[in-house]
Every structure is written in C-alpha cells, then in structure tokens.
Amino acid sequence: MMRQYELVERVTSYDPDADEALLNRAYVYAMRAHGTQKRASGDPYFSHPLEVAAILTNLKLDDATIASALLHDTIEDTKTTRAEIDSLFGEEIGELVDGLTKIKKLDLVSKVVEQAENLRKFMLAISRDVRVLLVKLADRLHNMRTLDYVPEAKRNRVAEETMDIYAPLAGRMGIQWMRDELEELAFRQLNRQAYEMIASRMAMMREVNSEAISEIEEALTGKLADSGIEATVIGREKRPYSIWRKMESKSVSFEKLSDIIGFRVIVGSIEDCYRTLGIVHTTWRTVPGRYKDYISTPKQNDYRSIHTTVIGPRHRRVELQIRTREMNDVAEYGIAAHALYKDGVPVKSGNGDGRREIESGAYRWLRRLVEMVSEGNTPEEFLEHTKLELFQDQVFCFTPKGRLIALPRGANAIDFAYAVHTDIGNTAIGCKIDGRLAPLISELQNGDAVEIITSKAQSPSPAWEAIAATGKARSAIRRATRDASRKQYSELGRQILMRAVDRAGKSYSDERLEGVLPRLAQHNVDDALAAVGRGELPSRDVLKALYPDYQEERPKGGAPS
Ligand code: MN
C-alpha cells in the first residue's frame, strides 16, 4: 500500500503548490473511516481509495480531486455524512464526494444495457463538475484491475457495464490509455477464451517478428537522423481487444492483423511531423487509402496525429503514427495534458507564473472537457445526439431495486410513484427519500433513492393534480379521482335505491337493474347507481323501471320521497 508521504510527493511533483495539509487530512480521515473494512481480495478497504487517488496522480489532477478520490467511498460505506465532509474539507470537496456517492448507486442497477442511455445522462447531469467523472473512471479502473476477486456472478455485469459505459466515457474524455485498459480488462472477463487465444498468438508473433521490428526501427531512426530530425521511435503493440474487434467487424484474419508492425514516431514540432512524413513517403511505398492527417483536422476528442502505412523493409506493412510530444500526451492523458503546456511549450512549474498558468490551463481544460463530453455527432460517440443542457432539465432517481427513473426537473415523489406504476401512485401515502421519511410533495434531487409507501385503502387526493409535474401523473390522478368520486356516488346511489326498493316492499338485485339499463339510458349498473347518487336520476324512475306494476304511494300532504 502506498504511504501517505508517497502520495503527497506524487502530487507536489507536478503541482508544487498543492495543499499538502489537505491531502494528509483526507488520507488519515479516509483510512480511519474505513477502519477494519476489507476488500473482496482481503486487502484493507482503504487500499482501494488510495489506489484510485494514485491513478489520478497519473493524470496530474488537482489536490481537491485527489482528496475526493481518497474520500470517495466514505459517505456510502462508512458512517461519514456529507455535512461532515463539508465541515472538514470544504464544500468543493463535499460536492465532489456527494456526486460520487450518487453515481455509486448505479452499481445497483441490474440490466445496464437497457438503461445505458439513462445512466449516461444521469452521470452527466450530476457531474457538472467533470472531476467527479474522472474519479469515477479511476474508481472503475481499479475495480476492474481487481475484478478476479469479485464473486463470479457479479463479474460479468461489472465488465459489461465497463464496456458499455465507462470505456466509451474514458475515450470521450480523450484518456486513451484508460479506455484501452478498461476495454482489455472487460474483454478478458467477457470473452476469456478469445482473449487468451489472441494473447498467446500475439506472444508467438512477437518472437517471430522481433528481428524485423528492430530492423525497421533502425532503418527509420537512421533515415530521420540523416535529415537532422530528432525523433523517438517506439514499437507499438496491438491489444487483444482491438484485434478482436477488427476480426469481428471487418472479418480480417488474425494473421493479417498481427502481421502489421506498428510504430509511433514522436518528434519536436509540427514541422518535423510533416518532414518525417515526407521522408517516410519518399523512402518507402505507401499503402493507398491509409494516410490520415489528424493534425490539420483533429478528431473530436482533440486527438492529433498523422497516420500512414507503408511497405517497409522486408516487404512488411508498417503502420506509423507521427506526432509531437504534446500530441502524444493529449492522446494518452486527454485534455488534462493541455494544462501542462502553453502554446506547445511545457509550462515550467515551481515559480509563481507557472502556477498561474497551470491554474488557468486547468480551468480551460475542465471547461473544454465539459464541452467535449456534451458534444458528439456520431453514434459511436458517448452522447449520441443530445446536449448536456438537456439533462439539466431532468432528475434521475432510483427505486429501491435500483431501477433508474428519469423525471423532469421539479418533479416530486408523486410523479415518481406514478412513473414507477399507476397502482403505486394511486395507493401512495408517503415516501422515504434516501431512507428518510418525507412528504410526497417533496421535490426530488438527482440521485435520490425513493421508496414509496402505499396503502390499499388510499386513493389519490384531487389536490395532487395541481402538485404533480408530469402529465402522466396528472392524468392518472384525474382518472383516479374521477373513478373515486364515481364510486362514492354509486355507493350512495345504491343506498338510496335500496331504501326506496325496500320501502316499496320489493327486493333489489344488480341483475334486475342490469336488465333495465337501456330504459334508463345508462351504460352499466355503476353508472346508473352513480346517477342516482348524484341526484341526476330519481330513484322513483328506477323503481318504476324495475317494477312496472309498482304504484307510487302518495303520503298525504307530503312530497314524494
Ligand atoms: Mn470505490
């Protein structure tokens, strides 16, 4: 387990002005809060938030994010409350930890794929601060790394969720290494046989290809050095999942895919990228249709690089990615990397100016990230056609079984009850929000877990119609109150009629009434009785219809009853 000082040193190494006292307090607090709790692996529970924090130091995130990572499971899993976090660490961190606590409820959701769209919207809606998403991604990454300790039954669900939601999210945020690792870990769980087959074939190919790889690497480095270009050439290995995906989607054979040798060429400037491209293209024959310039036209997640494929030495197909160091950092670490550069030049930290640069840079990238996550034009992308503002009009709440219910903002527990089921709405008498009793008119907040308390004897109050925010609830209430009042009137009508029948010395039955409905111009017994109850249909008329021989008694001097 990482030591306290090690974590603090990691943070101060990229942000010398980080609040060390804050980090120390969060470390000690979280460690004490989790106490003797254990992970499925048998490790102390605290090792988990600590690893999550460590992952985030790789992304060079600010002290508040690292502290939130340490604290991310405290509200959900220990006695800690939001108020306590607020008072000890300030509201900024309180807000972050609270957001993570709410997302954590997603782990309860059972059929993820069906709800993926709502889950994504939910995450974005409560993550107006993108740092919440970053901590959540690191949390999921560590949970995936330790997935083998989780009970078998749960593993596939976690892996599917990772594949459906978290890996695309990491990609959307431009953190390629995290996306790759999440995908590989999920693929290994979901299709272990294929994973192992591909991995072992890859190991074999590595041996076969090793000579060719170093030969090409040498040739490439030599050519560039001859032209005075300082370049780092890195051999690039394909990942089992990306090979699998291509085998599946393009029906390309494993041999064909693994035969291709990939290199990344990292140079000092954009000019050198194009000079390198020129040298490569004049030295080796290019493979048509494989050249892509993402420098002049960056991908949506800010990915920049030149891609090309040539027929290299020994007639081997060689895939090349040519980019600057900054572009490489952005590709690996996402927009976070921008914070460390100013106009392509690394920001020197350690002096006052550098610090200011990092701060404004950090602010910029956070904002960019929100924009990026909220954009998206292609179906593969995280957020299909919807914009972030849209979700701000919605609240997402959970049923006790973890079903996610999307409601318009301003909706209350009455709306929630009707959204779950009309019967639940019609019999609701109260509710619990996050385990606490609350009035049904309570406005719901994102992430609330809502339990509706019902009673069969209950029918909805007509006043609810004005309180409900959703059309579904309003029309159901209208229908229910109409039904309820009709029921009351028909009961009243029945009593009136039975008394009248009784007084006439006859006996009443529904069947008999049914037989004379057409004469009374009524559709059914209940309608007829309700009409009597409302006073629209005199009981005398019904009596006459029921018993045509009935002669009305005329009490002397009195009006007919
Ligand atoms: Mn966690």
Side-chain angles (χ1 to χ4, degrees), residues 258-279:
S258 54
D259 202 34
I260 301 168
I261 297 171
F263 287 96
R264 185 168 295 159
V265 183
I266 295 167
V267 296
S269 66
I270 292 180
E271 294 79 67
D272 280 354
C273 290
Y274 288 103
R275 284 177 66 206
T276 301
L277 179 71
I279 290 162

Side-chain angles (χ1 to χ4, degrees), residues 45 48 72-73 139 143:
Y45 193 91
H48 165 65
H72 82 270
D73 279 332
D139 178 43
N143 285 335

Side-chain angles (χ1 to χ4, degrees), residues 180-181 183-203 239-244 254:
D180 290 349
E181 191 176 340
E183 277 177 354
E184 291 309 315
L185 291 166
F187 175 53
R188 195 174 68 114
Q189 170 61 34
L190 294 172
N191 206 333
R192 199 171 288 262
Q193 235 183 336
Y195 178 90
E196 274 162 12
M197 187 274 282
I198 295 173
S200 73
R201 302 281 297 263
M202 279 171 68
R239 296 167 299 115
Y241 179 64
S242 75
I243 288 184
W244 171 253
F254 175 83

Side-chain angles (χ1 to χ4, degrees), residues 376-428:
N377 312 330
T378 72
E380 296 81 42
E381 269 153 355
F382 181 62
L383 264 180
E384 284 103 47
H385 312 289
T386 356
K387 293 240 183 274
L388 194 59
E389 300 87 71
L390 214 72
F391 318 132
Q392 303 301 340
D393 301 341
Q394 296 185 43
V395 282
F396 298 88
C397 304
F398 298 90
T399 68
K401 282 183 184 153
R403 201 175 127 207
L404 194 57
I405 305 286
L407 295 164
R409 190 159 287 279
N412 53 47
I414 297 171
D415 295 298
F416 181 90
Y418 278 102
V420 173
H421 197 283
T422 308
D423 289 346
I424 305 261
N426 284 341
T427 55

Side-chain angles (χ1 to χ4, degrees), residues 9-67:
E9 269 178 13
R10 278 211 201 188
V11 179
T12 51
S13 72
Y14 59 81
D15 182 3
D17 292 341
D19 187 344
E20 290 186 39
L22 168 73
L23 295 170
N24 283 319
R25 265 186 294 137
Y27 185 105
V28 172
Y29 182 89
M31 187 169 66
R32 290 207 183 125
H34 287 293
T36 55
Q37 288 174 354
K38 293 261 190 290
R39 295 270 289 170
S41 61
D43 288 336
Y45 193 91
F46 179 63
S47 66
H48 165 65
L50 188 55
E51 281 302 321
V52 174
I55 289 168
L56 292 163
T57 62
N58 292 335
L59 293 167
K60 300 188 168 62
L61 285 163
D62 67 317
D63 44 20
T65 310
I66 304 299

Side-chain angles (χ1 to χ4, degrees), residues 418 425-429 455-462 464 480-481 484 488:
Y418 278 102
N426 284 341
T427 55
I429 54 169
S455 159
K456 288 235 157 58
Q458 183 71 13
S459 64
S461 151
W464 286 2
T481 49
Q488 281 176 347

Side-chain angles (χ1 to χ4, degrees), residues 486 488-501 508 513 517 520 522 524-543 546:
R486 208 180 67 134
Q488 281 176 347
Y489 279 120
S490 82
E491 261 157 34
L492 187 64
R494 178 185 296 274
Q495 282 177 20
I496 292 171
L497 192 61
M498 279 168 75
R499 263 231 305 257
V501 170
Y508 169 83
L513 180 57
L517 286 174
L520 296 168
Q522 297 293 335
N524 56 50
V525 171
D526 269 344
D527 278 354
L529 293 174
V532 174
R534 271 194 293 266
E536 291 163 8
L537 179 63
S539 58
R540 193 177 350 113
D541 293 2
V542 183
L543 213 54
L546 287 171

